[in-house]
Short mmCIF file of all heavy atoms in Angstrom, two decimals:
data_model
loop_
_atom_site.label_atom_id
_atom_site.label_comp_id
_atom_site.label_asym_id
_atom_site.label_seq_id
_atom_site.Cartn_x
_atom_site.Cartn_y
_atom_site.Cartn_z
N VAL A 231 101.28 93.88 118.63
CA VAL A 231 100.74 92.81 117.79
C VAL A 231 99.24 92.67 117.97
O VAL A 231 98.52 92.36 117.02
CB VAL A 231 101.47 91.48 118.11
CG1 VAL A 231 100.76 90.30 117.46
CG2 VAL A 231 102.91 91.52 117.62
N LEU A 253 101.13 89.52 108.40
CA LEU A 253 101.65 90.06 109.66
C LEU A 253 103.16 89.89 109.72
O LEU A 253 103.69 88.82 109.41
CB LEU A 253 101.02 89.32 110.83
CG LEU A 253 101.62 89.63 112.22
CD1 LEU A 253 101.29 91.06 112.64
CD2 LEU A 253 101.12 88.62 113.26
N MET A 254 103.86 90.95 110.13
CA MET A 254 105.29 90.88 110.42
C MET A 254 105.53 91.59 111.74
O MET A 254 105.25 92.79 111.85
CB MET A 254 106.11 91.54 109.29
CG MET A 254 105.96 90.86 107.94
SD MET A 254 107.00 91.60 106.64
CE MET A 254 106.00 93.04 106.23
N ASP A 255 106.01 90.87 112.76
CA ASP A 255 106.25 91.55 114.02
C ASP A 255 107.50 92.41 113.93
O ASP A 255 108.27 92.33 112.96
CB ASP A 255 106.28 90.57 115.19
CG ASP A 255 107.57 89.75 115.29
OD1 ASP A 255 108.45 89.88 114.43
OD2 ASP A 255 107.69 88.97 116.26
N ARG A 256 107.74 93.24 114.95
CA ARG A 256 108.81 94.23 114.84
C ARG A 256 110.19 93.57 114.78
O ARG A 256 111.10 94.10 114.15
CB ARG A 256 108.72 95.23 115.98
CG ARG A 256 108.90 94.70 117.38
CD ARG A 256 108.59 95.80 118.39
NE ARG A 256 107.21 96.25 118.27
CZ ARG A 256 106.82 97.50 118.55
NH1 ARG A 256 107.69 98.40 118.94
NH2 ARG A 256 105.54 97.84 118.42
N LEU A 258 110.84 90.84 113.18
CA LEU A 258 111.02 90.47 111.78
C LEU A 258 111.32 91.69 110.92
O LEU A 258 112.15 91.62 110.00
CB LEU A 258 109.78 89.75 111.27
CG LEU A 258 109.83 89.34 109.79
CD1 LEU A 258 110.98 88.39 109.54
CD2 LEU A 258 108.52 88.72 109.36
N ILE A 354 98.32 84.05 118.98
CA ILE A 354 99.54 84.83 118.74
C ILE A 354 100.03 85.47 120.03
O ILE A 354 101.24 85.51 120.30
CB ILE A 354 99.30 85.88 117.64
CG1 ILE A 354 99.19 85.17 116.28
CG2 ILE A 354 100.43 86.90 117.61
CD1 ILE A 354 99.04 86.10 115.09
N THR A 357 101.76 82.76 121.86
CA THR A 357 103.05 82.48 121.22
C THR A 357 104.07 83.55 121.56
O THR A 357 105.24 83.24 121.84
CB THR A 357 102.87 82.39 119.69
OG1 THR A 357 101.97 81.32 119.39
CG2 THR A 357 104.20 82.15 119.00
N ARG A 358 103.64 84.79 121.55
CA ARG A 358 104.55 85.88 121.90
C ARG A 358 105.10 85.70 123.31
O ARG A 358 106.28 85.95 123.58
CB ARG A 358 103.82 87.21 121.77
CG ARG A 358 104.71 88.44 121.96
CD ARG A 358 103.89 89.71 121.86
NE ARG A 358 102.81 89.69 122.84
CZ ARG A 358 101.82 90.57 122.85
NH1 ARG A 358 101.76 91.50 121.91
NH2 ARG A 358 100.89 90.51 123.78
N LEU A 361 107.89 83.25 123.40
CA LEU A 361 109.14 83.71 122.79
C LEU A 361 109.92 84.68 123.68
O LEU A 361 111.09 84.96 123.41
CB LEU A 361 108.85 84.39 121.45
CG LEU A 361 108.25 83.49 120.36
CD1 LEU A 361 108.07 84.29 119.08
CD2 LEU A 361 109.11 82.27 120.10
N ALA A 368 114.15 84.83 116.95
CA ALA A 368 112.87 84.30 116.50
C ALA A 368 111.96 85.46 116.12
O ALA A 368 112.09 86.56 116.65
CB ALA A 368 112.21 83.46 117.60
N ALA A 369 111.05 85.21 115.20
CA ALA A 369 110.11 86.25 114.76
C ALA A 369 108.79 85.62 114.38
O ALA A 369 108.74 84.46 113.94
CB ALA A 369 110.68 87.02 113.57
N ILE A 370 107.71 86.39 114.57
CA ILE A 370 106.37 85.94 114.21
C ILE A 370 105.96 86.59 112.89
O ILE A 370 106.16 87.79 112.70
CB ILE A 370 105.35 86.33 115.30
CG1 ILE A 370 105.70 85.67 116.63
CG2 ILE A 370 103.93 85.93 114.88
CD1 ILE A 370 104.82 86.13 117.78
N LEU A 371 105.41 85.80 112.00
CA LEU A 371 104.88 86.30 110.74
C LEU A 371 103.74 85.40 110.33
O LEU A 371 103.55 84.33 110.92
CB LEU A 371 105.95 86.32 109.65
CG LEU A 371 106.57 84.97 109.27
CD1 LEU A 371 106.98 84.99 107.80
CD2 LEU A 371 107.80 84.68 110.13
N GLY A 372 102.98 85.82 109.35
CA GLY A 372 101.95 84.89 108.92
C GLY A 372 100.93 85.46 107.98
O GLY A 372 100.82 86.67 107.78
N TYR A 379 99.79 81.28 110.89
CA TYR A 379 100.94 82.09 111.28
C TYR A 379 102.14 81.21 111.56
O TYR A 379 102.01 80.01 111.81
CB TYR A 379 100.62 83.01 112.46
CG TYR A 379 100.47 82.32 113.80
CD1 TYR A 379 101.53 82.24 114.70
CD2 TYR A 379 99.25 81.76 114.18
CE1 TYR A 379 101.38 81.63 115.93
CE2 TYR A 379 99.11 81.15 115.41
CZ TYR A 379 100.18 81.09 116.28
OH TYR A 379 100.03 80.46 117.49
N HIS A 380 103.31 81.83 111.48
CA HIS A 380 104.57 81.11 111.60
C HIS A 380 105.43 81.75 112.68
O HIS A 380 105.32 82.95 112.95
CB HIS A 380 105.39 81.19 110.30
CG HIS A 380 104.61 80.84 109.06
ND1 HIS A 380 104.76 79.65 108.40
CD2 HIS A 380 103.69 81.54 108.35
CE1 HIS A 380 103.97 79.62 107.34
NE2 HIS A 380 103.31 80.76 107.30
N VAL A 381 106.31 80.94 113.24
CA VAL A 381 107.45 81.47 113.99
C VAL A 381 108.69 80.89 113.33
O VAL A 381 108.79 79.68 113.12
CB VAL A 381 107.41 81.10 115.47
CG1 VAL A 381 108.67 81.60 116.17
CG2 VAL A 381 106.19 81.69 116.15
N VAL A 382 109.62 81.76 112.97
CA VAL A 382 110.90 81.32 112.41
C VAL A 382 111.97 81.50 113.48
O VAL A 382 112.11 82.58 114.05
CB VAL A 382 111.27 82.13 111.15
CG1 VAL A 382 112.63 81.67 110.61
CG2 VAL A 382 110.20 81.97 110.07
#
Side-chain angles (χ1 to χ4, degrees):
V231 169
L253 171 69
M254 297 183 281
D255 76 357
R256 63 188 62 211
L258 178 60
I354 288 184
T357 299
R358 186 182 57 191
L361 296 182
I370 299 174
L371 61 149
Y379 72 96
H380 310 255
V381 176
V382 179

